[in-house]
Amino acid sequence: QVQLVESGGGLVQPGGSLRLSCAASGSIFSINAMGWYRQAPGKQRELVAAITSGGSTNYADSVKGRFTISRDNAKNTVYLQMNSLKPEDTAVYYCNADIRVGATMLRYDYWGQGTQVTVSS
């Protein structure tokens, strides 16, 4: 069993900052890419940022220069630092990870439960 548990969402004013965390636990042999997605009401889920096990990153154009993704491999945790938040960043944010499970050595795609981020004055 593998779980991804997110934390750090909430309500923030425009221009403010939030930091999301996502910790993976369970029978994990290794974690490949990790990422953050978001889904706003009435819209499709979209990639926000991703990071490989080696630390290479990519970002959606809409968040470049404002958001920073990072990971702590020793803690199996990925972070998303969000600065200069805008109302259009309001969405449910989901953590995603490509994990090789220890028991079977098979790779699976896992998702967190989602955390709400609301940017409003």
Side-chain angles (χ1 to χ4, degrees):
Q1 291 278 356
V2 172
Q3 279 189 315
L4 299 183
V5 178
E6 299 144 342
S7 61
L11 173 64
V12 64
Q13 292 187 341
S17 297
L18 282 175
R19 189 191 195 210
L20 305 182
S21 300
C22 172
S25 63
S27 181
I28 297 170
F29 178 79
S30 63
I31 302 178
N32 302 300
M34 303 183 81
W36 290 94
Y37 289 72
R38 68 186 180 187
Q39 188 167 19
K43 294 188 176 181
Q44 288 189 330
R45 190 174 297 189
E46 62 175 358
L47 175 68
V48 177
I51 184 168
T52 68
S53 57
S56 297
T57 59
N58 69 286
Y59 297 91
D61 287 343
S62 59
V63 307
K64 282 181 181 176
R66 300 188 297 122
F67 291 10
T68 302
I69 189 170
S70 61
R71 63 191 283 173
D72 184 334
N73 291 330
K75 295 181 179 180
N76 291 336
T77 299
V78 63
Y79 306 96
L80 186 68
Q81 178 66 45
M82 305 184 292
N83 299 329
S84 302
L85 282 160
K86 304 175 181 180
E88 51 263 44
D89 294 318
T90 296
V92 178
Y93 284 69
Y94 296 91
C95 173
N96 172 262
D98 174 9
I99 297 175
R100 189 176 297 278
V101 176
T104 64
M105 298 301 285
L106 295 175
R107 286 173 64 173
Y108 296 94
D109 202 36
Y110 289 92
W111 292 89
Q113 80 283 1
T115 185
Q116 177 71 46
V117 171
T118 302
V119 185
S120 175
S121 54

